[in-house]
Amino acid sequence: MRQLGPLLVVALLVTACATTAPNTTPVAKTTAPTVVDAGRFVQSAEAELAQLNVEQQRNEWVQENFITYDTQILASNATAKQVSASVDLAKDAAKYDNTADLPYDIRRKLDLIKLSVTNTGLSAAAPSDAAKTAEVTRIATALTAAYGSGRYCPKPAECMSIEDIAAAMETSRDPKKLLEVWRGWHEVSKPMRSDYARFVELMNEGAHELGYADTGAMWRSKYDMPPDAFAAEVDRLWNQVRPLYASLHCYVRWNLTKAYGPQLVPAGKPIPAHLLGNIWAQEWTNVYDLVAPPAVDQGYDLTKILESRADIDARGMVKIGEHFFTSLGFPPLPQTFWERSLFTQPKDRDVVCHPSAWDIDDNDDLRVKMCIRKTSDYFATIHHELGHNFYQRAYNRQPFLYKNSANDGFHEAVGDTIALSITPDYLVKLGFLKTAPPPSADIPLLLRRALEKVAFLPFGIVIDTWRWRVFSGQIKPEDYNKEWWALRLKYQGIAPPEPRGEEYFDPGAKYHVAANVSYTRYFLADILQFQFHRALCQAAGNTEPLNRCSIYENKHAGERLTRMLSMGQSRPWPEALEAISGEKEMDATAILDYFAPLKTWLDQQNEGKTCGW
């Protein structure tokens, strides 16, 4: 049985007490809930949650694809209905906390019902007061819409979408231009600040009603361990990988100093956030050209290869991703996937372009929504999003409450595990390369991947560390921005390119804050994908270094992966982890194994350089 934090309600049974005179009959005590009662409740609640989930998914899909006043209201109403029902059912489920001899499935489903509010469109509990529920869902919808329709307009007739800004930051090497577009996007989140503060108040009120200290404690209770134990687990994993990140940070900084000069990037200081090729400096692959080893050529540029292929469009890139999964033994995606997904930015309307995978009906209506460009990043992202879809279909025969990943880090890790198999040998099999580069080219490949995966690790911790402290009250609204940048400095060694006062709300410039999506899953995924990759490569009989292994076309690896995916959330995540890896504990040594040649090389390059910040 999963261990939870505080109880969700405080009163389970009510005893009627009366002062009785002689010869009067005492008032009978309320009958305690029985196993049969619990089973009936679970069956009814599961059916209700399943129906509400489909309704909410359909409304949210329309709202994110057609951002209008009316679709926001429809999505908000559907979310409010789902959240309200989830909260009521969570409170009802708690009535069975002390019922003895409950079968495993009933006990686990009761626990999942109590946490079902974190799987709603709101990702949190709402207060039981109807007006406050309406308010919190309205704010949630407004924050997401503000992000999705955000624009930077240097001139009234010249506006840049987030995709335009992302493209500029990927390619420009003009620090003034980079600062301009970085600053422009971060203006989008300024109006969110007061709404977000109220949003936190309302979510915490809902969490308190369910017995949690705050929303952060409720989020951390999803991981089959007490909230504080989970926070300690995240710290343990980070400490395993921190030396690798420190070596990468040192190497990247002194190369940026060479490119931009010591006045802009001084030794021993944090790296300015706008110089790392990404709006949020969450991954650094776009500055590879500035830090690439000068004497070694990786032998190819996947973005240039994709751009040169006139026969491959956005849909064709998704077809390639689908084929990877079918090569492992998975059935192809349904025809409705191709009819109902969104692959490119529409010309006639705003949409939320952030890549996402959808399981609309909890059965076979699978979709992706993304605005694909022909780049290596999008090629990998496609594999990632399809990982969600194939996971969703693998567990679609489970009862509704088990139709989820073992924990949310698993869901994010599956597609990224597949992306680790985008090796030169895989590209040869696709016809993108004639021959694979020799092992001497591994350092450039590993460096590029580390700029994505290793650079991300501390960012994956920062977002929820900030939110957990906001939810708990440790960070006050008047210190939102100051504490945001303090955490980025501590974990990432990153600083804003200019002073950022409390008139700004820079956390809201990240989708997952505006959309209230828990982010620790991505940190866990960054760890788990290497653990999965190592295990699947072992199943495939791989004898090459871990970074050169691809499981493409290997049915043995596919069988091992299917075994874990089909479990859904029916068992605690350590058992699902054991099904794929033979291990019950998350372990970051796999990422260290994967990047071991690079770590040795980085430390050699950093000799005599000033490291740390």
Side-chain angles (χ1 to χ4, degrees):
M1 185 180 99
R2 95 169 35 182
Q3 298 179 38
L4 298 175
L7 293 176
L8 298 176
V9 290
V10 294
L12 301 180
L13 301 173
V14 177
T15 303
C17 300
T19 302
T20 58
N23 300 321
T24 62
T25 302
V27 178
K29 294 183 178 180
T30 303
T31 303
T34 67
V35 173
V36 173
D37 294 333
R40 288 172 177 166
F41 168 76
V42 165
Q43 184 178 20
S44 174
E46 190 166 32
E48 182 177 354
L49 288 170
Q51 186 272 326
L52 289 171
N53 184 63
V54 173
E55 182 180 336
Q56 192 275 333
Q57 286 278 91
R58 293 195 187 283
N59 278 277
E60 188 176 357
W61 174 267
V62 172
Q63 187 269 322
E64 290 199 13
N65 282 275
F66 301 87
I67 302 174
T68 69
Y69 172 80
D70 293 306
T71 60
Q72 289 180 57
I73 291 176
L74 292 172
S76 179
N77 288 344
T79 300
K81 181 178 178 182
Q82 182 191 41
V83 171
S84 178
S86 296
V87 171
D88 289 344
L89 292 172
K91 293 177 179 178
D92 288 341
K95 297 174 182 178
Y96 301 95
D97 279 352
N98 294 334
T99 303
D101 301 322
L102 288 176
Y104 168 83
D105 279 323
I106 292 179
R107 173 58 67 195
R108 184 160 182 82
K109 287 182 177 183
L110 286 168
D111 291 339
L112 293 174
I113 290 168
K114 290 186 288 188
L115 289 166
S116 64
V117 291
T118 62
N119 298 325
T120 65
L122 184 60
S123 300
S128 54
D129 179 88
K132 289 182 177 179
T133 295
E135 182 183 7
V136 74
T137 53
R138 177 194 61 77
I139 293 174
T141 302
L143 290 171
T144 304
Y147 185 96
S149 59
R151 295 288 186 274
Y152 164 53
C153 301
K155 297 180 181 179
E158 298 179 10
C159 290
M160 300 176 70
S161 69
I162 187 172
E163 295 296 308
D164 299 326
I165 292 170
M169 296 199 72
E170 288 174 14
T171 57
S172 177
R173 296 295 177 259
D174 177 354
K176 292 183 179 179
K177 175 65 175 179
L178 291 170
L179 176 58
E180 175 195 338
V181 296
W182 183 94
R183 180 192 293 140
W185 178 251
H186 283 76
E187 288 289 321
V188 168
S189 58
K190 284 175 69 174
M192 301 180 188
R193 185 184 178 92
S194 60
D195 269 354
Y196 189 81
R198 176 60 175 162
F199 191 49
V200 169
E201 290 178 3
L202 292 168
M203 286 192 295
N204 275 345
E205 186 174 334
H208 294 159
E209 290 181 9
L210 295 178
Y212 292 99
D214 54 69
T215 300
M218 183 176 67
W219 282 3
R220 296 192 301 277
S221 294
K222 295 177 63 174
Y223 294 96
D224 294 313
M225 60 177 66
D228 290 345
F230 176 70
E233 178 72 355
V234 171
D235 286 341
R236 180 186 67 82
L237 293 168
W238 166 241
N239 285 326
Q240 282 186 293
V241 298
R242 184 167 54 180
L244 176 60
Y245 176 80
S247 294
L248 180 67
H249 181 281
C250 185
Y251 175 79
V252 168
R253 183 180 55 202
W254 66 256
N255 276 279
L256 291 179
T257 301
K258 288 197 304 182
Y260 292 111
Q263 289 187 331
L264 195 56
V265 189
K269 300 293 183 182
I271 300 173
H274 67 308
L275 299 180
L276 288 161
N278 176 271
I279 299 174
W280 311 280
Q282 71 180 55
E283 56 86 22
W284 308 342
T285 53
N286 295 317
V287 299
Y288 176 78
D289 61 305
L290 299 180
V291 304
V296 184
D297 181 8
Q298 77 168 44
Y300 67 93
D301 183 326
L302 181 54
T303 295
K304 289 182 179 179
I305 292 172
L306 290 168
E307 290 173 345
S308 70
R309 294 287 297 267
D311 59 320
I312 299 176
D313 57 8
R315 184 186 181 94
M317 289 173 67
V318 181
K319 280 287 186 182
I320 292 170
E322 178 197 37
H323 183 67
F324 195 112
F325 287 90
T326 59
S327 83
L328 300 179
F330 291 91
L333 293 163
Q335 180 59 32
T336 54
F337 172 88
W338 304 102
E339 296 168 353
R340 299 169 185 172
S341 292
L342 177 77
F343 300 136
T344 56
Q345 168 75 61
K347 296 181 179 180
D348 61 342
R349 66 184 191 273
D350 290 329
V351 301
V352 177
C353 267
H354 186 86
S356 54
W358 300 66
D359 180 12
I360 298 293
D361 64 354
D362 290 315
N363 183 23
D364 212 34
D365 190 353
L366 306 170
R367 310 178 192 180
V368 295
K369 177 179 60 61
M370 55 192 303
C371 303
I372 298 171
R373 291 185 288 122
K374 292 172 68 170
T375 69
S376 61
D377 285 346
Y378 274 92
F379 189 76
T381 299
I382 287 165
H383 287 73
H384 171 93
E385 297 302 336
L386 291 182
H388 288 298
N389 288 141
F390 280 95
Y391 203 162
Q392 289 159 344
R393 181 150 71 179
Y395 58 57
N396 71 0
R397 294 187 179 182
Q398 292 281 0
F400 170 75
L401 286 169
Y402 292 162
K403 289 182 178 180
N404 207 339
S405 59
N407 70 40
D408 51 13
F410 277 63
H411 231 313
E412 298 299 331
V414 169
D416 280 347
T417 300
I418 300 303
L420 290 176
S421 284
I422 302 176
T423 62
D425 285 339
Y426 171 54
L427 299 179
V428 169
K429 291 179 178 179
L430 292 181
F432 287 0
L433 297 176
K434 291 183 179 179
T435 58
S440 60
D442 282 0
I443 290 300
L445 291 169
L446 285 169
L447 177 58
R448 183 181 289 274
R449 183 147 278 165
L451 294 172
E452 175 193 0
K453 302 294 185 180
V454 179
F456 173 79
L457 288 166
F459 186 80
I461 293 176
V462 163
I463 289 185
D464 275 356
T465 299
W466 180 83
R467 283 193 290 198
W468 293 345
R469 295 180 183 182
V470 167
F471 293 145
S472 72
Q474 184 178 346
I475 296 177
K476 307 297 183 185
E478 58 268 25
D479 294 322
Y480 276 172
N481 231 40
K482 181 184 73 173
E483 295 299 329
W484 168 256
W485 287 107
L487 287 169
R488 299 199 68 181
L489 175 63
K490 174 184 176 180
Y491 285 98
Q492 289 185 279
I494 300 295
E498 59 185 6
R500 306 294 291 178
E502 291 303 325
E503 69 273 22
Y504 297 102
F505 183 57
D506 292 333
K510 178 63 179 169
Y511 169 82
H512 299 78
V513 174
N516 201 46
V517 177
S518 176
Y519 207 74
T520 306
R521 67 187 67 180
Y522 302 105
F523 172 77
L524 297 179
D526 225 29
I527 300 296
L528 286 167
Q529 64 191 263
F530 290 93
Q531 194 170 359
F532 292 171
H533 181 63
R534 183 169 64 183
L536 293 176
C537 287
Q538 291 169 352
N542 174 68
T543 58
E544 293 190 276
L546 193 55
N547 63 287
R548 296 183 70 85
C549 169
S550 177
I551 63 168
Y552 179 62
E553 297 181 322
N554 191 283
K555 298 297 194 294
H556 294 296
E559 290 170 3
R560 174 101 50 110
L561 181 60
T562 300
R563 189 187 314 155
M564 186 269 285
L565 299 184
S566 62
M567 293 171 68
Q569 202 173 11
S570 63
R571 306 296 301 179
W573 66 259
E575 295 184 32
L577 179 59
E578 185 178 30
I580 191 173
S581 70
E583 302 164 318
K584 286 191 172 183
E585 185 177 70
M586 290 184 283
D587 182 12
T589 62
I591 194 170
L592 301 180
D593 290 347
Y594 186 95
F595 288 106
L598 179 68
K599 177 65 163 63
T600 299
W601 183 85
L602 287 172
D603 290 344
Q604 292 170 349
Q605 304 306 306
N606 290 338
E607 288 181 4
K609 302 297 193 298
T610 301
C611 295
W613 56 85

